[in-house]
Amino acid sequence: MKKNRGRTGRKRRRKRLQSFVGGVNCSHKLEYIKLKKWLKDRGFEDSILRPAEFRGNTLISLLMAGDLIISLPEKCLLTTSTVLSSYLGGYIKNWKPPVSPLMALCTFLIAEKHAGHKSPWKPYLDVLPKAYTCPVGWEHHVLNLLPEPLRKKAQEQRTTIHELYLSSKGFFSSLQPLFAEDTGSIFTCSALEWAWCTVNTRTIYMKQPQRECFSLQPDVYALAPYLDLLNHSPNVQVKAAFNEQTRSYEIRATSQCKKYGEVFISYGPHDNQRLLLEYGFVARDNPHSSVYVSSDTLLKYLPPLDKQRKAKLSILKDHDFLENLTFGWDGPSWRLLTALKLLSLGADEL
């Protein structure tokens, strides 16, 4: 009998899979079994990644096998091309003014989620979060506990989603022939918030050709089932891109991955405010961490009797230097230093 075959070999493999460093193997869960089968039917082959839970978050653990972390075939990706080739395609092409690529993806997600068992994307939808931890979905009394700059950004996001919902009601109503139920009960503001957070937190960057049926907003979103279980770490670097030859989206590690341990990718050099706002979490020991200084805080410590105060503020506002003022590990940012320098100028210097 070959090595690792038979009952003893199976026991060894099970023991290895259960030995994730700090995590719990989730490969046996029905939703992940169905997802892997669904992906396999679309051409995805994987023998090195396993779903696991680390500190309560679902993500992927690696069994070392070279530098290629994952290669996801184009057929597994959900893009605007997917949406246009679906039952929504004709409605999107005929609607004026054109919807945005983001709205097309949001509409598709809401419609497929509503379809339930009839949706061919159900195995993927079943592993998506039912709710997100982004501040945009927080209760007002919790949102008010945030620092002013972050609270302001979160409120702006909430307003954006609400305005997007109101401006899209006509388009949603045009889809009524596709549904037995009233579209108003399907395409609700809360449903749009869920879909918007799904696209905002889980898509990869993948530029699509510009199409006349969409608005001029960038078409760069692609939902990547299974790949999107990989979590962010500010201390890792990976190479991620669509491989035109293999027609797959590939992620390659540029550093060693710990065997049976958690595998991370990088979402970019984001500070914790950006991570919380866009993804709903913060990173421990983040080298990109920054403290945001509000304009109110800045002005609180300046001489109130400065006769040039109004002129200085006008200059800073005109040049957009009252926002994104930060203080990081290396000290104040160039924007903050510039604002402080101008506010400190004497009357003859201004």
Side-chain angles (χ1 to χ4, degrees):
M1 182 177 293
K2 294 183 179 180
K3 188 177 180 180
N4 289 332
R5 295 290 176 85
R7 185 184 303 170
T8 303
R10 287 195 297 271
K11 286 182 178 179
R12 288 199 190 101
R13 286 193 294 274
R14 279 198 296 270
K15 187 175 181 180
R16 284 199 299 269
L17 290 176
Q18 292 168 355
S19 65
F20 292 167
V21 180
V24 178
N25 180 22
C26 295
S27 299
H28 64 284
K29 290 189 176 182
L30 185 60
E31 60 266 35
Y32 291 111
I33 293 174
K34 289 183 176 180
L35 177 63
K36 289 293 291 286
K37 183 181 183 303
W38 180 80
L39 289 168
K40 186 176 181 180
D41 291 341
R42 291 169 176 249
F44 176 61
E45 294 292 339
D46 174 59
S47 61
I48 64 174
L49 298 174
R50 295 293 182 273
E53 287 186 3
F54 288 80
R55 300 181 300 279
N57 295 319
T58 303
L59 41 102
I60 299 296
S61 185
L62 177 68
L63 306 178
M64 287 297 294
D67 291 333
L68 184 64
I69 295 177
I70 191 170
S71 178
L72 196 65
E74 188 174 21
K75 289 182 179 180
C76 300
L77 302 174
L78 200 170
T79 65
T80 50
S81 296
T82 312
V83 180
L84 289 178
S85 63
S86 74
Y87 51 89
L88 294 175
Y91 291 87
I92 291 174
K93 292 173 183 177
N94 292 328
W95 184 256
K96 302 298 179 190
V99 301
S100 66
L102 183 146
M103 176 51 70
L105 284 173
C106 287
T107 304
F108 184 80
L109 285 170
I110 296 170
E112 290 298 301
K113 187 179 182 182
H114 174 73
H117 291 281
K118 296 180 181 179
S119 170
W121 289 84
K122 187 179 187 303
Y124 175 53
L125 295 171
D126 283 347
V127 300
L128 289 176
K130 302 297 184 290
Y132 290 88
T133 55
C134 303
V136 71
W138 292 3
E139 297 289 339
H140 283 285
H141 70 279
V142 179
L143 203 61
N144 288 334
L145 298 175
L146 293 173
E148 192 274 333
L150 179 55
R151 183 174 67 252
K152 182 180 177 182
K153 293 285 187 182
Q155 289 169 339
E156 288 173 356
Q157 277 192 346
R158 181 173 289 185
T159 301
T160 296
I161 295 174
H162 185 65
E163 291 177 349
L164 186 61
Y165 170 69
L166 293 177
S167 65
S168 302
K169 276 190 167 184
F171 171 64
F172 293 149
S173 296
S174 74
L175 305 177
Q176 187 60 66
L178 297 173
F179 303 94
E181 303 88 342
D182 181 69
T183 52
S185 65
I186 300 170
F187 296 93
T188 62
C189 193
S190 60
L192 180 59
E193 181 185 302
W194 171 83
W196 185 91
C197 285
T198 299
V199 174
N200 200 55
T201 63
R202 305 183 78 83
T203 50
I204 55 175
Y205 182 91
M206 186 174 162
K207 192 171 184 179
Q208 303 293 314
Q210 188 68 42
R211 300 180 179 92
E212 291 184 0
C213 61
F214 291 131
S215 69
L216 296 179
Q217 292 182 19
D219 189 352
V220 294
Y221 309 102
L223 284 158
Y226 205 61
L227 183 154
D228 62 7
L229 295 176
L230 291 164
N231 277 346
H232 166 79
S233 171
N235 301 308
V236 302
Q237 290 185 341
V238 296
K239 291 182 179 179
F242 185 76
N243 189 323
E244 295 289 347
Q245 294 181 330
T246 63
R247 304 304 300 174
S248 298
Y249 193 90
E250 297 179 350
I251 294 182
R252 293 184 176 273
T254 58
S255 58
Q256 190 78 3
C257 297
K258 192 172 183 179
K259 193 173 183 180
Y260 303 125
E262 184 174 353
V263 176
F264 292 100
I265 58 174
S266 174
Y267 298 172
H270 303 319
D271 59 47
N272 279 344
Q273 172 172 301
R274 176 76 180 276
L275 290 175
L276 182 61
L277 186 68
E278 302 293 346
Y279 302 103
F281 68 89
V282 295
R284 184 183 300 174
D285 300 324
N286 188 351
H288 310 294
S289 289
S290 296
V291 175
Y292 282 73
V293 181
S294 69
S295 55
D296 290 341
T297 301
L298 198 67
L299 299 176
K300 191 182 297 184
Y301 298 97
L302 292 173
L305 300 179
D306 186 348
K307 294 181 179 180
Q308 304 295 326
R309 182 187 180 100
K310 187 174 291 187
K312 292 175 181 178
L313 287 177
S314 179
I315 294 172
L316 290 175
K317 186 176 182 180
D318 291 344
H319 292 81
D320 192 28
F321 266 81
L322 289 177
E323 300 286 339
N324 297 319
L325 307 176
T326 61
F327 197 101
W329 293 110
D330 298 329
S333 66
W334 176 79
R335 291 177 61 85
L336 178 56
L337 283 173
T338 302
L340 289 170
K341 175 64 176 176
L342 189 141
L343 290 170
S344 302
L345 291 177
D348 55 334
E349 295 175 300
L350 187 64

